[in-house]
């Protein structure tokens, strides 16, 4: 089969949040999927915009592709999803792991949100081994929890979109200190991913380069040398200790509260209040002296 007929993957890098969005298509037909679309959001003004995701939509239109699936690897805490805008613009169904219900439960309680916590904002909740067809290929859903409860990796042929599990091999792995996070679970997910053949491509959810171009694609062989694996000697207890100590030093992501309030609604915004304006909540507390 000529190369041009194999599956096509086009990455788009969102500079402000270091996030990769992917368009995946089978060139033998016009069907495509979008993975982890990002909304532009300015924290200080509370303004969202569509400049970045519009480039992805323009690409899909220019290629005459028909969108089937909008895949979320998890409810992100560092950026707002553009899934609803993509759906409104191009159609398709929004997919996330069934663990989203646990994430909704937590944040609906902690932020006192009056929202359904049954995942009904999404079109399909996927479980282990569920498949979604894309032309001659199919996505297979693989739960890879640890960063969050709803974390799902999506395999298609020899490619896996791994969400927040491995980062660039020199940067390590995803944090595990969000509600439902677990370094022990993430270690099991990492082991699951590197059990695939060494030439399988592991596509990153993020990259945060300091003095190089951002990297989207890694391989199983490369991730076997991931710095956090090397530092922990591949030992689960040592990995958990390393991960937890590192997480203790990390700050809360600056977009966590706006992100979660939009992302657990599958990209829909809160209802307008009686004055016609929409608001996002921010918890407030005071450290006693
Ligand atoms: Fe994340």
């Amino acid at each position: 089969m000529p190369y041009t007929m194999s599956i096509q993957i086009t990455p788009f890098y969102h500079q402000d949040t270091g996030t990769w969005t992917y368009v995946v298509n089978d060139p033998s037909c016009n069907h495509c999927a979008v993975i982890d679309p990002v909304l532009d959001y300015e924290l200080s003004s509370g303004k969202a915009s569509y400049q970045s995701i519009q480039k992805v939509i323009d690409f899909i239109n220019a290629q005459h592709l028909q969108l089937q699936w909008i895949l979320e690897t998890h409810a992100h805490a560092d950026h707002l999803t553009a899934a609803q805008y993509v759906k409104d613009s191009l159609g398709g169904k929004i997919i996330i792991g069934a663990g989203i219900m646990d994430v909704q439960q937590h944040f609906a309680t902690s932020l006192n949100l009056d929202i359904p916590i049954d995942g009904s904002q999404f079109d399909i909740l996927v479980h282990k081994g569920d498949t979604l067809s894309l032309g001659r290929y199919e996505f297979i859903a693989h739960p890879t929890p640890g960063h969050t409860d709803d974390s799902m990796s999506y395999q298609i042929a020899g490619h896996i979109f791994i969400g927040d599990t491995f980062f660039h091999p020199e940067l390590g792995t995803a944090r595990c200190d969000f509600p439902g996070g677990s370094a022990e679970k993430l270690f099991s997910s990492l082991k699951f991913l590197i059990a695939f053949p060494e030439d399988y491509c592991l596509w990153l959810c993020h990259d945060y380069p300091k003095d190089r171009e951002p990297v989207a694609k890694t391989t199983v062989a490369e991730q076997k040398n991931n710095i956090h694996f090397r530092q922990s000697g591949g030992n689960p207890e040592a990995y958990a200790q390393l991960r937890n100590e590192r997480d203790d030093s990390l700050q809360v992501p600056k977009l966590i509260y706006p992100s979660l309030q939009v992302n657990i609604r599958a990209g829909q915004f809160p209802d307008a209040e009686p004055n016609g304006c929409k608001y996002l909540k921010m918890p407030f507390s005071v450290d006693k002296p």
Side-chain angles (χ1 to χ4, degrees):
M1 188 178 295
Y3 173 75
T4 53
M5 291 301 287
S6 61
I7 198 157
Q8 189 169 333
I9 296 167
T10 309
F12 294 82
Y13 188 65
H14 190 258
Q15 186 77 41
D16 290 352
T17 63
T19 305
W20 286 108
T21 296
Y22 297 98
V23 175
V24 182
N25 68 287
D26 175 0
S28 73
C29 68
N30 63 351
H31 289 180
C32 75
V34 170
I35 300 173
D36 287 336
V38 181
L39 191 66
D40 297 316
Y41 182 74
E42 190 183 87
L43 181 62
S44 54
S45 65
K47 280 191 178 164
S49 59
Y50 302 114
Q51 198 176 351
S52 298
I53 194 58
Q54 193 60 48
K55 291 177 186 163
V56 180
I57 292 171
D58 291 347
F59 170 83
I60 290 171
N61 284 330
Q63 301 283 314
H64 307 291
L65 301 176
Q66 186 184 345
L67 184 62
Q68 305 292 302
W69 312 115
I70 303 158
L71 299 166
E72 296 282 7
T73 55
H74 60 293
H76 306 273
D78 64 317
H79 68 266
L80 282 66
T81 177
Q84 194 62 47
Y85 180 69
V86 172
K87 181 178 176 178
D88 292 344
S89 302
L90 298 172
K93 292 193 182 329
I94 304 176
I95 316 293
I96 201 166
I100 187 63
M101 292 184 281
D102 295 328
V103 181
Q104 288 177 324
Q105 167 83 60
H106 176 84
F107 284 99
T109 302
S110 63
L111 291 168
N112 195 29
L113 304 175
D114 183 18
I115 61 165
I117 54 169
D118 58 359
S120 56
Q121 301 91 335
F122 297 82
D123 295 302
I124 301 176
L125 304 184
V126 285
H127 300 80
K128 179 180 180 179
D130 284 353
T131 59
L132 302 161
S133 66
L134 190 79
R136 298 166 298 165
Y137 300 91
E138 63 181 13
F139 286 103
I140 307 169
H142 298 297
T144 43
H147 173 64
T148 62
D149 261 345
D150 64 334
S151 291
M152 194 65 79
S153 292
Y154 299 103
Q155 179 192 357
I156 186 162
H159 303 271
I160 310 176
F161 298 88
I162 59 174
D164 280 356
T165 54
F166 286 111
F167 288 162
H168 185 285
E170 291 306 320
L171 292 183
T173 55
R175 65 193 296 172
C176 295
D177 56 339
F178 296 149
S182 156
E184 290 79 9
K185 284 185 186 175
L186 184 59
F187 186 80
S188 296
S189 297
L190 301 176
K191 294 286 276 186
F192 170 79
L193 290 169
I194 60 167
F196 283 91
E198 290 210 333
D199 61 346
Y200 267 40
C201 297
L202 302 180
W203 294 87
L204 304 178
C205 186
H206 295 290
D207 195 24
Y208 307 105
K210 286 207 172 94
D211 50 10
R212 57 170 172 78
E213 290 298 305
V215 168
K217 183 173 77 171
T218 65
T219 64
V220 168
E222 289 167 351
Q223 292 294 8
K224 283 182 176 175
N225 270 319
N226 185 285
I227 188 169
H228 285 174
F229 263 2
R230 292 205 308 269
Q231 290 173 342
S232 62
N235 175 284
E237 289 80 23
Y239 174 79
Q241 185 178 353
L242 176 156
R243 183 68 264 168
N244 291 330
E245 284 175 3
R246 179 159 167 72
D247 288 347
D248 285 344
S249 72
L250 298 177
Q251 296 198 325
V252 174
K254 64 181 182 182
L255 294 183
I256 186 169
Y257 293 111
S259 296
L260 265 306
Q261 287 171 77
V262 170
N263 296 347
I264 63 174
R265 292 174 163 105
Q268 297 175 53
F269 305 133
D271 291 337
E273 298 201 7
N275 66 355
C277 298
K278 297 175 188 286
Y279 297 91
L280 293 168
K281 290 184 175 181
M282 173 68 80
F284 176 74
S285 62
V286 179
D287 276 342
K288 297 208 170 92

